[in-house]
Amino acid sequence: MSAPSAPLLSVRDLHVDFKVRGDGWLLPAKRTLKAVNGVSFDLYPGETLGIVGESGCGKSTLARALLNLIPATSGQIVWMGRDMAAAGAADWQQVRRSVQMVFQDPLASLNPRMNVSQIVGEPLRTHQPQLSGVEVLARVKAMLVRVGLSEAHLYRYPHEFSGGQCQRIGIARALVLQPRLIVCDEPVSALDVSIQAQIINLLKDLQQEMQLALVFIAHDLAVVKHVSQRVLVMYLGRTMELAGKQALYADPKHPYTRALLSAVPLADPRRERAKMIQMLSGDLPSPIAPPSGCVFRTRCPQAFDRCAVEVPPLKAVGPQSQAACWLY
Ligand code: SF4
């Protein structure tokens, strides 16, 4: 996809730190957990950026920081040309009309005491109080049909639906304000594989129909492949690789991306047998005490002396690829 000139969202050197209490004896009283550590990217109208990494790599924190649900410690978020650094609560409220979120656990993200009509209508009542009850109901009904539900579901409660249907309700709630961007935080990881495909196809159809941009977060490169034009690979809060989809899947540059990709099964059994497996050894290090230098070095099969000393910067390693690795 050729990118238009003005990004919808620009993120520069974003940091999100959390203060963590020690035990005051062996561990220092206060330590800093760098959940997001210097992430930068642009997102263009109608584009999907996939964000991938293991649990604990900071991708969900990044998603919440984009909407100021968790405040950023430093860095810049520019939304439709407007720097949000000095934005107050009212400004963020305005932005949230255009940026909505779909959450991982569809049932937990819906209020069990509200019926579908109330859940999907709530953003309209909050952000467009001038609408009459009849107008809200008409918009809710239309939205339900667009996500594959029907008027018959209007007055039912979340516990009466399957996981896939609950996620459709969550998507309807996110889309009812006709936003420009949806941040999807692992929207299919709690669903069965067959339902995952339905929800991904629904998101893709709605994206085309409504010219939506998506930030699509997953821990699985196979899931992200079907929706994204570009993919950002995160590890311990840092960007390891940022690349166009074709470049990333055909020629991954970063050793971490290669390891993640080698875990994705191939449909062709001959290619699957011939594939070089690069399993990730060891566990993800604690984000409170990340390794020095390159944060991936304790699990990297190609690590060498420099990797323990200096942090590799993210730099261009191909026409569509950037990677943070001293091999380049
Ligand atoms: S910088 Fe070194 S440790 Fe890090 S990914 Fe590259 S080779 Fe591996």
Side-chain angles (χ1 to χ4, degrees), residues 254-256 294 296-297 300 302-304 307 312 324-327:
H254 197 282
Y256 181 53
C294 172
F296 185 56
R297 73 176 168 81
C300 179
Q302 289 161 283
F304 54 103
C307 307
C325 176
W326 288 125
L327 292 175

Side-chain angles (χ1 to χ4, degrees), residues 36 47 64 67-68 81 115 120-121 134 142 157 183 189 208 229 301:
V36 177
E47 185 190 27
R64 281 161 178 74
L67 279 81
N68 200 39
N115 64 34
V120 179
V134 174
Y157 287 81
V183 178
S189 59
Q208 274 207 324
Q229 278 90 41

Side-chain angles (χ1 to χ4, degrees), residues 14 16 18 35-36 58-66 70 185 217:
L14 196 73
V16 182
F18 297 115
V36 177
K59 51 195 192 308
S60 292
T61 305
L62 170 63
R64 281 161 178 74
L66 295 179
I70 295 175
D185 184 10
I217 291 172

Side-chain angles (χ1 to χ4, degrees), residues 84-254:
M84 300 305 291
D91 302 307
W92 277 107
Q93 179 82 343
Q94 218 173 19
V95 167
R96 285 193 201 115
R97 281 183 209 172
S98 308
V99 186
Q100 291 285 309
M101 196 152 177
V102 173
F103 296 92
Q104 177 176 6
D105 185 340
L107 186 57
S109 69
L110 305 176
N111 187 333
R113 291 189 192 84
M114 291 166 84
N115 64 34
V116 172
S117 154
Q118 292 166 322
I119 290 169
V120 179
E122 189 182 33
L124 288 170
R125 285 188 289 274
T126 305
H127 292 282
Q128 297 181 11
Q130 76 283 4
L131 291 178
S132 70
V134 174
E135 287 168 317
V136 169
L137 190 61
R139 298 260 294 261
V140 170
K141 284 180 184 172
M143 203 65 244
L144 285 184
V145 172
R146 277 170 107 167
V147 300
L149 297 171
S150 74
E151 285 188 31
H153 297 117
L154 267 176
Y155 301 107
R156 296 200 195 159
Y157 287 81
H159 71 271
E160 299 176 65
F161 293 93
S162 66
Q165 285 175 317
C166 283
Q167 199 54 295
R168 287 175 192 269
I169 298 167
I171 291 169
R173 178 180 58 187
L175 290 180
V176 77
L177 287 170
Q178 302 193 307
R180 304 287 307 274
L181 165 64
I182 303 273
V183 178
C184 303
D185 184 10
E186 305 231 26
V188 296
S189 59
L191 304 175
D192 291 345
V193 174
S194 59
I195 310 294
Q196 287 186 2
Q198 290 174 17
I199 296 295
I200 287 175
N201 288 337
L202 172 67
L203 281 168
K204 282 172 73 173
D205 291 347
L206 291 167
Q207 177 180 33
Q208 274 207 324
E209 202 180 309
M210 300 173 74
Q211 283 301 298
L212 275 170
L214 297 180
V215 170
F216 192 99
I217 291 172
H219 55 261
D220 183 348
L221 271 169
V223 170
V224 163
K225 185 176 185 181
H226 297 294
V227 278
S228 309
Q229 278 90 41
R230 285 183 302 139
V231 179
L232 187 154
V233 179
M234 280 183 84
Y235 187 83
L236 284 182
R238 290 183 181 272
T239 303
M240 298 289 104
E241 183 160 358
L242 175 58
K245 179 171 81 174
Q246 305 301 342
L248 187 117
Y249 287 87
D251 183 19
K253 300 293 187 191
H254 197 282

